[in-house]
Amino acid sequence: MKEDNKEKRIFDAALKLFVENGIDNTSISLISKEAGIATGTIYLYFDNKVDLINKLYISIKKEILEIICTEPTESMLSYDLLEKLWMDGVEWGVNNPCAYRFMMQTEISPYCNEELSAQFANYMKVLTKLVLGSIESKKFKDLPPEYILETIWTHLICTIGYIAKTKTRERKIFFQTLLDGIKY
Amino acid sequence: MKEDNKEKRIFDAALKLFVENGIDNTSISLISKEAGIATGTIYLYFDNKVDLINKLYISIKKEILEIICTEPTESMLSYDLLEKLWMDGVEWGVNNPCAYRFMMQTEISPYCNEELSAQFANYMKVLTKLVLGSIESKKFKDLPPEYILETIWTHLICTIGYIAKTKTRERKIFFQTLLDGIKY
Amino acid sequence: MKEDNKEKRIFDAALKLFVENGIDNTSISLISKEAGIATGTIYLYFDNKVDLINKLYISIKKEILEIICTEPTESMLSYDLLEKLWMDGVEWGVNNPCAYRFMMQTEISPYCNEELSAQFANYMKVLTKLVLGSIESKKFKDLPPEYILETIWTHLICTIGYIAKTKTRERKIFFQTLLDGIKY
Amino acid sequence: MKEDNKEKRIFDAALKLFVENGIDNTSISLISKEAGIATGTIYLYFDNKVDLINKLYISIKKEILEIICTEPTESMLSYDLLEKLWMDGVEWGVNNPCAYRFMMQTEISPYCNEELSAQFANYMKVLTKLVLGSIESKKFKDLPPEYILETIWTHLICTIGYIAKTKTRERKIFFQTLLDGIKY
DNA sequence: CATGAATGAGGCTTCATTCAT
DNA sequence: TATGAATGAAGCCTCATTCAT
């Protein structure tokens, strides 16, 4: 039978090498060596290299989105909720630097098309609801919701990068620049 | 002497194709065809493919930095100055979508190393001075200057992307989210 | 004991796929899927792929030769005998189009060597005797017996192909072109 | 500039190896070695392996058809004309054993599709005219013209094979078996 | 006997780079 | 300078075969 965690080993090896060398400078053969398996074995788990890239991207994106986009407890104010989501996101990014870098690389590469992005629509619902509600109740500025969503995401990414580089323990002061930027 | 503008034609062709297909899916041969010259000719102007990528990146990065980082007139307040720089940057990005995308792609790719980035230190002086001064005079929050610089850059990139996608004429309201985020 | 008819299922699957896609474009794995068994099972019945090809070829060639080369009843004239053999051969070919095509393909391929062909010497005795006798008794032209044998075989193959393509019910008129060609 | 006869050297090498080992057991790399060029060079002349196979087949088929299907002199009787064509064909086949074998192999392989065959329609006109005219004037039996064409071709192939194997100088007696078979 | 995951050699093809013209 | 045919290393992928279950 297919061995327990071979797919995970391929994922881990690919992620490490993609981030180190770039996707296109990482050969399937190299991935297989890093994963400690034969080249052909990768093709038992993935149709081809693009399929591997896509599935890796999806797996990572879902992981972060599941963290960020979990349904909130009823009692939370929208500011608190945003802060909680943002903090969780930062923590994930700081603890998964490779995953974070790969996600960024892929998102602006030609490997990331609309079809791929469409898979995550569901996850965005929580965040979208939060933003729409906060605009309506005049907690957020009256900006296009998509712009606010983009801003949140970009600011998160930017902060993760800064924290990863400087290893600072600060969090709250960075979050404040986001909140002050978008709050009414 | 080297013919008039052949280097520019190579740059233009490479930029277009790099953005369309990704750097590694763009062959030198394809670039030469797009530029209307022979394959070998590219090697009269560039040492190799990486050299072409680097020089293209440098050329673009300098273009945007020269726009953003020009010495301000004495009379400008720091808020006004930041706004002017930011506005110029947005306009450049919206008008040069390929250059903008290429710059982003390259910056997180393995092609962009520290040695390359170091070339732009000079250009950053203006901006750095602006940020340091504004922190000191309590116009900006007391955050690490590098974080503020990163935030400005990221916010700029994010907004260019949004405007390029939606073709909106709005500018000021987007700038306000940056300013509110970092001002004291 | 080896399960009932698994070898036959492999033969059938291989024959179908070899004819559809060519021998070298048919993988063992594909054959196993078509046969509804596991890949490794094929290696319980055949040493390797070449062995499968050879045994399939032998099995088919024997089938047609057994039909064509059965001992005649004493009373038959050589013309009648030839006609009977030829008719049987045509009928087999028309009813077994895959087998017929595979046999042709294999016979001119590098898979078919002298050692393989030698296995059928026995079967040819009847036909050889018929031809030699007919030449001696001046019923057939005084041509090299091997040439006549080749002619008979080729003409048979040609006619099967034509009938398979056109679905015609005609038989006798085609046989006549063979007989007129070689009879004294 | 593309060197004078490199395409021919590829053709010659491919033809030799295809016949010796079979098409699918002949790698592009092997062909390039036999031709004394680099592997990649083959792809300057052919799109891919199938393209090479097709173009080689077309080139050979056209060669033999041009020999066989040249317009006859007015004065020739149809029997004489058929004999001349047949003799020319036999001579070509005997002198080009590789080409002859490759043509046969390819014709019953999956590489030979209808689209490929359609390219030769023009060449067949002479032969078709000869056959139709001969049937009408009761020189040939009243058989389907396609069957007669097939018979001629098959008989030619069969005879070439026999002569190549036995090195016999005989010709006329073999032609007679064809003529007797189809003449009225 | 039967399975099918795993292997890794080998095939097809691409492409950065060179060099003779 | 400019050309583009030629090179051959390297990448993706297939598949005959093995072997632990």
Side-chain angles (χ1 to χ4, degrees):
Chain A
M1 95 231 69
K2 278 193 185 179
E3 208 176 296
D4 34 19
N5 60 344
K6 210 158 276 183
E7 182 175 312
K8 174 153 175 36
R9 274 160 63 197
I10 297 171
F11 268 164
D12 290 345
L15 182 56
K16 174 167 182 280
L17 295 168
F18 285 164
V19 169
E20 270 174 17
N21 316 319
I23 291 176
D24 292 289
N25 291 307
T26 301
S27 70
I28 291 290
S29 154
L30 195 61
I31 296 173
S32 72
K33 262 170 216 137
E34 175 80 23
I37 58 176
T39 307
T41 305
I42 291 186
Y43 291 88
L44 295 177
Y45 294 85
F46 304 96
D47 293 341
N48 50 49
K49 194 181 180 181
V50 170
D51 185 47
L52 166 58
I53 295 166
N54 285 347
K55 286 189 175 141
L56 178 57
Y57 174 70
I58 289 171
S59 129
I60 288 173
K61 185 90 174 191
K62 282 197 174 158
E63 193 181 321
I64 169 77
L65 286 178
E66 265 162 20
I67 288 171
I68 293 189
C69 303
T70 45
E71 202 65 33
T73 58
E74 234 11 77
S75 62
M76 273 184 157
L77 302 176
S78 66
Y79 291 162
D80 296 340
L81 176 55
L82 180 64
E83 183 170 347
K84 181 191 171 308
L85 303 181
W86 188 91
M87 288 292 177
D88 289 345
V90 164
E91 230 48 44
W92 176 86
V94 169
N95 294 325
N96 297 273
C98 279
Y100 151 78
R101 284 189 63 83
F102 173 72
M103 197 175 55
M104 285 185 57
Q105 257 183 60
T106 308
E107 259 164 25
I108 59 169
S109 80
Y111 291 113
C112 194
N113 49 45
E114 307 237 335
E115 182 189 8
L116 204 52
S117 309
Q119 306 206 14
F120 308 111
N122 261 337
Y123 289 94
M124 299 304 286
K125 279 185 191 164
V126 177
L127 224 50
T128 307
K129 206 164 60 176
L130 165 66
V131 169
L132 288 175
S134 302
I135 293 174
E136 193 144 355
S137 59
K138 307 236 171 198
K139 286 188 184 120
F140 287 177
K141 288 180 178 139
D142 187 23
L143 290 159
E146 295 80 13
Y147 182 77
I148 295 186
L149 283 166
E150 279 289 321
T151 302
I152 295 172
W153 182 253
T154 307
H155 182 272
L156 181 66
I157 294 294
C158 165
T159 306
I160 290 173
Y162 181 79
I163 293 177
K165 203 162 56 192
T166 60
K167 318 274 185 216
T168 177
R169 288 292 181 81
E170 299 282 359
R171 296 288 185 276
K172 182 89 183 195
I173 56 171
F174 300 136
F175 173 71
Q176 202 59 42
T177 67
L178 170 63
L179 189 56
D180 289 345
I182 60 178
K183 82 173 175 204
Y184 196 83
Chain B
M1 109 222 73
K2 283 185 187 178
E3 205 176 302
D4 42 8
N5 58 347
K6 212 159 273 187
E7 182 174 313
K8 175 154 173 37
R9 274 159 61 196
I10 296 171
F11 269 163
D12 290 345
L15 182 56
K16 172 166 182 281
L17 294 169
F18 284 164
V19 169
E20 270 174 16
N21 315 319
I23 291 176
D24 293 287
N25 290 308
T26 301
S27 70
I28 292 290
S29 152
L30 195 60
I31 295 172
S32 71
K33 258 170 221 135
E34 176 80 24
I37 59 176
T39 306
T41 305
I42 291 185
Y43 288 85
L44 297 175
Y45 294 85
F46 304 95
D47 294 341
N48 49 49
K49 194 181 181 181
V50 170
D51 185 48
L52 165 58
I53 295 166
N54 285 345
K55 286 190 174 141
L56 177 57
Y57 173 70
I58 290 170
S59 130
I60 288 172
K61 185 89 175 189
K62 282 195 175 160
E63 192 181 325
I64 169 76
L65 286 179
E66 265 162 19
I67 289 172
I68 292 189
C69 302
T70 45
E71 202 65 35
T73 60
E74 226 20 68
S75 62
M76 271 184 159
L77 302 176
S78 65
Y79 291 163
D80 296 341
L81 177 54
L82 181 63
E83 182 169 348
K84 180 190 173 307
L85 304 181
W86 188 92
M87 288 291 178
D88 289 346
V90 163
E91 232 47 45
W92 177 85
V94 169
N95 294 325
N96 297 274
C98 279
Y100 151 79
R101 285 188 63 83
F102 173 71
M103 197 175 55
M104 286 185 56
Q105 260 183 57
T106 309
E107 260 164 24
I108 59 168
S109 82
Y111 291 114
C112 194
N113 48 46
E114 307 238 335
E115 183 189 8
L116 203 53
S117 308
Q119 306 205 15
F120 308 111
N122 261 337
Y123 288 94
M124 299 304 287
K125 281 185 190 162
V126 177
L127 222 50
T128 308
K129 205 164 60 178
L130 165 65
V131 169
L132 288 174
S134 302
I135 293 173
E136 193 144 356
S137 59
K138 308 237 171 200
K139 286 192 183 118
F140 286 177
K141 287 178 178 143
D142 186 23
L143 289 161
E146 294 81 12
Y147 182 77
I148 294 188
L149 283 167
E150 277 290 321
T151 302
I152 295 172
W153 182 254
T154 307
H155 182 272
L156 182 65
I157 293 295
C158 165
T159 306
I160 290 173
Y162 182 80
I163 293 177
K165 203 163 56 192
T166 60
K167 318 272 184 219
T168 176
R169 288 291 182 83
E170 299 282 0
R171 296 289 185 275
K172 182 89 180 194
I173 56 170
F174 301 136
F175 173 72
Q176 201 60 42
T177 68
L178 170 64
L179 190 58
D180 290 345
I182 61 177
K183 82 174 175 202
Y184 195 84
Chain C
M1 111 223 71
K2 283 184 189 179
E3 207 176 300
D4 41 9
N5 57 347
K6 213 161 271 187
E7 181 174 313
K8 175 154 174 36
R9 275 159 61 196
I10 296 171
F11 269 163
D12 290 346
L15 182 56
K16 173 165 180 284
L17 294 169
F18 284 164
V19 169
E20 269 174 17
N21 315 319
I23 291 175
D24 292 286
N25 290 308
T26 300
S27 70
I28 292 290
S29 152
L30 194 60
I31 295 173
S32 71
K33 257 170 223 134
E34 176 81 24
I37 59 176
T39 307
T41 306
I42 292 185
Y43 288 86
L44 297 176
Y45 293 85
F46 304 95
D47 293 342
N48 50 47
K49 194 180 181 182
V50 171
D51 185 48
L52 164 58
I53 296 165
N54 285 344
K55 286 190 175 142
L56 177 58
Y57 173 69
I58 290 170
S59 131
I60 288 172
K61 185 89 173 191
K62 281 195 176 160
E63 190 180 326
I64 168 78
L65 286 178
E66 265 162 19
I67 288 170
I68 293 189
C69 303
T70 44
E71 201 65 34
T73 58
E74 230 14 73
S75 63
M76 271 184 157
L77 301 176
S78 65
Y79 291 163
D80 296 341
L81 176 56
L82 180 64
E83 182 169 348
K84 180 190 173 309
L85 303 182
W86 187 92
M87 288 291 179
D88 289 346
V90 163
E91 230 47 42
W92 177 86
V94 169
N95 293 326
N96 298 273
C98 280
Y100 149 80
R101 283 189 64 84
F102 173 73
M103 197 175 56
M104 285 185 58
Q105 260 183 57
T106 307
E107 259 163 23
I108 59 169
S109 81
Y111 291 113
C112 194
N113 48 44
E114 307 238 334
E115 182 189 8
L116 203 54
S117 307
Q119 306 205 16
F120 309 112
N122 262 337
Y123 288 94
M124 298 304 286
K125 279 186 189 163
V126 177
L127 221 51
T128 307
K129 206 163 62 176
L130 165 66
V131 169
L132 288 175
S134 302
I135 293 174
E136 192 143 358
S137 60
K138 308 239 168 193
K139 283 186 183 124
F140 287 177
K141 286 177 179 146
D142 186 24
L143 289 160
E146 294 80 12
Y147 182 77
I148 293 186
L149 283 166
E150 277 290 321
T151 302
I152 293 172
W153 182 254
T154 306
H155 182 272
L156 181 66
I157 292 295
C158 164
T159 305
I160 290 173
Y162 181 80
I163 292 177
K165 201 163 56 192
T166 59
K167 319 274 185 214
T168 177
R169 289 292 182 82
E170 298 283 358
R171 295 291 184 273
K172 183 87 182 197
I173 55 170
F174 302 136
F175 174 71
Q176 201 61 41
T177 68
L178 169 63
L179 189 57
D180 289 346
I182 60 177
K183 80 173 176 202
Y184 195 84
Chain D
M1 92 232 69
K2 278 194 185 179
E3 207 176 297
D4 34 18
N5 61 343
K6 210 159 274 186
E7 181 174 314
K8 176 156 173 34
R9 274 160 61 197
I10 297 170
F11 269 164
D12 289 345
L15 183 56
K16 174 167 180 282
L17 294 168
F18 284 165
V19 169
E20 270 174 16
N21 316 320
I23 292 175
D24 292 289
N25 290 307
T26 301
S27 70
I28 291 289
S29 153
L30 195 60
I31 295 173
S32 70
K33 262 170 217 137
E34 175 81 24
I37 60 176
T39 307
T41 306
I42 291 185
Y43 291 87
L44 295 177
Y45 294 85
F46 304 95
D47 293 342
N48 49 49
K49 193 180 181 183
V50 170
D51 185 48
L52 166 57
I53 295 166
N54 285 346
K55 285 190 176 141
L56 177 57
Y57 173 70
I58 290 171
S59 129
I60 288 172
K61 185 90 174 191
K62 281 197 175 158
E63 192 181 322
I64 169 76
L65 286 178
E66 264 161 21
I67 288 170
I68 291 188
C69 303
T70 45
E71 201 66 33
T73 58
E74 225 21 67
S75 62
M76 272 185 159
L77 302 176
S78 64
Y79 291 162
D80 296 340
L81 176 55
L82 180 64
E83 182 170 348
K84 180 190 171 308
L85 303 182
W86 187 92
M87 289 291 178
D88 289 345
V90 163
E91 229 48 43
W92 177 87
V94 169
N95 293 326
N96 298 275
C98 279
Y100 150 79
R101 283 188 64 83
F102 173 72
M103 196 175 55
M104 285 185 58
Q105 259 182 58
T106 307
E107 261 165 23
I108 59 169
S109 80
Y111 291 113
C112 194
N113 49 44
E114 307 237 335
E115 183 190 7
L116 203 54
S117 309
Q119 305 207 13
F120 308 112
N122 261 337
Y123 289 94
M124 299 306 286
K125 280 185 189 163
V126 177
L127 222 51
T128 307
K129 205 164 61 175
L130 165 65
V131 168
L132 288 175
S134 302
I135 294 173
E136 192 145 356
S137 60
K138 309 238 169 197
K139 284 187 185 123
F140 287 176
K141 286 175 178 149
D142 186 24
L143 290 160
E146 293 81 12
Y147 182 77
I148 294 185
L149 283 166
E150 278 289 322
T151 302
I152 294 171
W153 182 255
T154 305
H155 182 272
L156 181 66
I157 292 295
C158 164
T159 306
I160 290 173
Y162 181 80
I163 293 177
K165 202 162 55 193
T166 60
K167 318 275 185 214
T168 177
R169 290 291 183 83
E170 297 283 358
R171 296 290 185 274
K172 182 88 182 194
I173 56 170
F174 301 135
F175 173 71
Q176 202 60 41
T177 68
L178 169 63
L179 189 56
D180 290 345
I182 60 176
K183 81 174 176 202
Y184 196 83

